[in-house]
């Protein structure tokens, strides 16, 4: 068991293609949280309602960046919209992305219009920017507020299927490749959606707690508890689906399992079995479970929840890695495995990935300077 | 080979085809050596069907000299470390263990095989120019396409280098060219076909283990051979309908 086709020695999809579904997952998950508030009126989530919407938007802005870094000919990227081949699952990307971006921009506009107006009434460059964003219309009364709310709610509703599409389609992209036994499963679509929701909720909890800590705000405890419950529930579904997929192949003991079992044992033992499941799924599962079922002291509970959320962020990243890279380690000759270790400084290396991942947080910080994303934050005048 | 869907994926293919036929006609006069014993030059207005190219590998004849790999590299300028064609060496030892390797380094010479061998053979591989090629299906921009004469090609001017086709091909035939950063693979030496010449590997093989011809011509050497000898396809269960026919292929090969 040591043969790979010679062209397989170079792994084609690397760090950037791990990062891309990771970021779109955060988008989809954060958006679902904002929609829980805007569409399904989970009012306890008010504290993070705007923040989650803004997070979804900012992550979405950066989602194509890893793809562009990966493309051999990034200057031709628009070919995907100019000459789409609709037989390809990938061809939908440009259209789904644009549609979703449009919905998000509009929703933010309607949800945050009041704040933009407030800011636009001040002086200075930012106020001018806000006036530009508002297209010069600073008028506001009960009627406009009600209309804004209605439209925002509608857009939030339309956004849910789009968010699922944007991210589920990434799962489909992998799941529909019959050449690769590790990817080729219809479950991939669903697995990606649920893991996306997990990562989205996790990033909100993680980020909200850090921001509150830095600013000395008191956390909105009911909001945190509600998010914890959702996170626990969705992570159970996500992990159960992931396990279901592997266990069913393992149990059926098909020809595929011979090579996939070996892939898990020989190549993914640490990153998949130990880290993804035993450490980064099991521990958060317990931490969140305890907090959902028992009422601990706030301080202790928050610490546990923050650790669990942070670990789940890593868990989803590991899952993306194990899917994207893991799938390419098996030779299509079914006779062996190749190896891959990411570089740090290369074009698609870890340093660039870290930079790309940090950018959305910086933009969110700027965003918050223009219009406050948290109820606690007072707008600057 | 039953469903010969000769429709090209591309609208400009008819034009290309015409050019090709014209070029083929003139090419034959200039390059008689290694020319195709087929009707690639059938631009004579007789209304004959245009060719439908396919490939056969006689694994019982290959001796693993890898002259084809060198010829392909030189003909097509294939960079080091990536392969439009390669030759697999299968060694089955006395314990029935199968060992496979490829001569990839330097000048494509196999290292001496260690240990006792019960059975050994060589299998040349290349793009199968599948009739239902997954690579074409998945290319998001339509840069991967199939010509009317049955050759699967990449439009290097249009490809964005996403690598989806590389993932989709079940045979490991595609790669991202490290120099041009676009998808690359065997073209059946399309530039040679256009001149009525056989692919470089076919011309070079000293054992005639590689055969090339026109499936639309019942009298072509390839058609005759496929009628006379049993053959196998690679991974037929995937429904890609490969057009590379393997004569005398061992069951160990995938
Ligand atoms: S062998 Fe691979 S690259 Fe060649 S036509 Fe078939 S799917 Fe495409
Ligand atoms: S690498 Fe090029 S030919 Fe292959 S799928 Fe992407 S755009 Fe198409």
């Amino acid at each position: 068991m040591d043969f790979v086709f010679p062209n397989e020695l170079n792994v084609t999809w690397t760090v950037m293609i791990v990062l891309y579904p990771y970021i779109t997952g955060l988008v989809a998950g954060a958006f679902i949280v904002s929609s829980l508030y805007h569409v399904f009126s989970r009012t306890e989530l008010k504290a993070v309602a705007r923040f989650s919407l803004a997070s979804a938007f900012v992550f979405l802005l950066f989602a194509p960046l890893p793809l562009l870094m990966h493309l051999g000919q990034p200057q031709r990227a628009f070919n995907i919209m100019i000459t789409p081949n609709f037989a390809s699952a990938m061809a939908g990307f440009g259209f789904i992305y644009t549609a979703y971006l449009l919905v998000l921009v509009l929703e933010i506009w309607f949800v945050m219009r009041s704040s933009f107006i407030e800011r636009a009434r001040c002086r200075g460059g930012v106020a001018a920017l806000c006036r530009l964003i508002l297209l010069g219309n600073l008028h506001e009364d009960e009627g406009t507020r009600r209309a804004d709310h209605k439209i925002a709610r509608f857009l939030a509703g339309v956004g849910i299927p789009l968010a699922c599409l944007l991210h589920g389609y990434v799962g489909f992209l992998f799941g529909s490749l019959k050449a690769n036994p590790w990817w080729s499963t219809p479950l991939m679509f669903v697995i990606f959606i649920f893991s996306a929701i997990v990562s989205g909720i996790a990033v909100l909890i993680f980020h909200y707690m850090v921001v509150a800590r830095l600013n000395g705000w008191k956390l909105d405890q009911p909001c945190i508890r509600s998010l914890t419950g959702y996170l626990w529930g969705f992570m159970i579904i996500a992990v159960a689906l992931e396990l279901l997929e592997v266990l069913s192949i393992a149990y059926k003991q098909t020809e595929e399992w011979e090579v996939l079992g070996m892939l898990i044992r020989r190549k993914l033992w640490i990153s998949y079995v130990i880290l993804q499941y035993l450490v980064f799924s099991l521990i958060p599962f317990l931490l969140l479970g305890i907090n959902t079922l028992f009422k601990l002291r706030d301080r202790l509970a928050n610490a546990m929840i923050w650790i669990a959320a942070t670990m789940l962020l890593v868990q989803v990243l590991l899952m993306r890695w194990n899917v994207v890279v893991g799938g390419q380690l098996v030779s299509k000759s079914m006779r062996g495995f190749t190896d891959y270790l990411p570089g740090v400084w290369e074009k698609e290396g870890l340093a660039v990935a870290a930079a790309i991942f940090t950018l959305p947080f910086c933009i969110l910080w700027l965003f918050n300077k223009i219009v406050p994303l948290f109820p606690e934050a007072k707008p600057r005048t | 080979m039953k469903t010969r869907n000769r429709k090209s994926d591309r609208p400009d293919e008819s034009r290309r085809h015409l050019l090709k036929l014209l070029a083929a006609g003139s090419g034959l006069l200039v390059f008689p050596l290694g020319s195709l014993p087929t009707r690639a030059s059938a631009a004579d207005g007789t209304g004959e069907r245009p060719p439908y190219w396919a490939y056969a590998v006689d694994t019982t004849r290959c001796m693993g000299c890898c002259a084809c790999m060198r010829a392909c590299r030189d003909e097509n300028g294939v960079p080091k470390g990536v392969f439009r064609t390669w030759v697999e060496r299968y060694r089955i030892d006395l314990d029935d263990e199968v060992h496979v390797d490829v001569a990839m380094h330097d000048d494509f010479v196999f290292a001496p095989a260690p240990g006792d061998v019960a059975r050994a053979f060589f299998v040349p591989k290349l793009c199968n120019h599948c009739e239902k090629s997954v690579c074409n299906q998945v290319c998001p921009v339509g840069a991967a396409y199939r010509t009317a004469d049955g050759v699967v090609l990449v439009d290097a001017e249009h490809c964005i280098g996403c690598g989806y086709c590389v993932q989709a091909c079940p045979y490991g035939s595609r790669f991202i060219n490290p120099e041009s950063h676009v998808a690359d693979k065997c073209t059946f030496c399309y530039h040679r076909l256009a001149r009525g010449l056989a692919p470089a590997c076919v011309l070079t093989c000293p054992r005639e283990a590689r055969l090339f011809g026109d499936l639309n011509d019942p009298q072509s050497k390839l058609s005759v051979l496929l009628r006379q000898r049993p053959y196998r396809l690679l991974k037929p269960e995937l429904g890609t309908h490969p057009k590379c026919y393997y004569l005398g292929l061992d069951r160990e090969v995938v």
Side-chain angles (χ1 to χ4, degrees), chain A residues 3 5-7 9 12-13 70-73 76 79-80 83-85 87-88 90 173 178-179 328 332-333 335, chain B residues 83 88 104 136-141 156-162 164 166-169 172 180 235 238 252 254:
Chain A
F3 173 66
F5 289 136
N7 288 326
L9 284 169
T12 313
W13 283 354
H70 162 72
L71 287 190
Q73 301 286 347
R76 298 182 192 157
N79 283 3
I80 204 164
T83 57
N85 165 26
S88 164
M90 203 184 265
L173 228 132
K178 56 188 169 190
Q328 295 171 87
K332 288 165 184 165
S333 70
R335 282 195 185 277
Chain B
F83 301 83
E88 295 171 3
M104 294 197 292
N136 290 3
Q137 184 193 359
V138 303
C139 175
V141 299
E157 304 283 296
H158 198 66
C159 166
I160 58 176
C162 65
Y164 200 19
V166 179
Q167 306 292 358
C169 170
S180 61
K235 302 192 183 186
L238 291 183
E252 300 292 354
V254 281

Side-chain angles (χ1 to χ4, degrees), chain A residues 6-7 10, chain B residues 73 78-85 108 174-178 184:
Chain A
N7 288 326
N10 320 306
Chain B
R73 175 195 60 195
V78 183
K80 213 175 151 83
V82 285
F83 301 83
R84 286 187 177 199
T85 184
F108 309 137
R174 289 182 165 248
F175 54 88
I176 296 290
N177 187 313
D184 201 339

Side-chain angles (χ1 to χ4, degrees), chain B residues 127-130 133-135 152 169-171 173-174 185:
Chain B
C127 168
N128 290 272
H129 294 266
C130 309
S133 42
V134 230
C135 53
V152 175
C169 170
Y171 307 99
S173 310
R174 289 182 165 248
K185 63 182 265 302

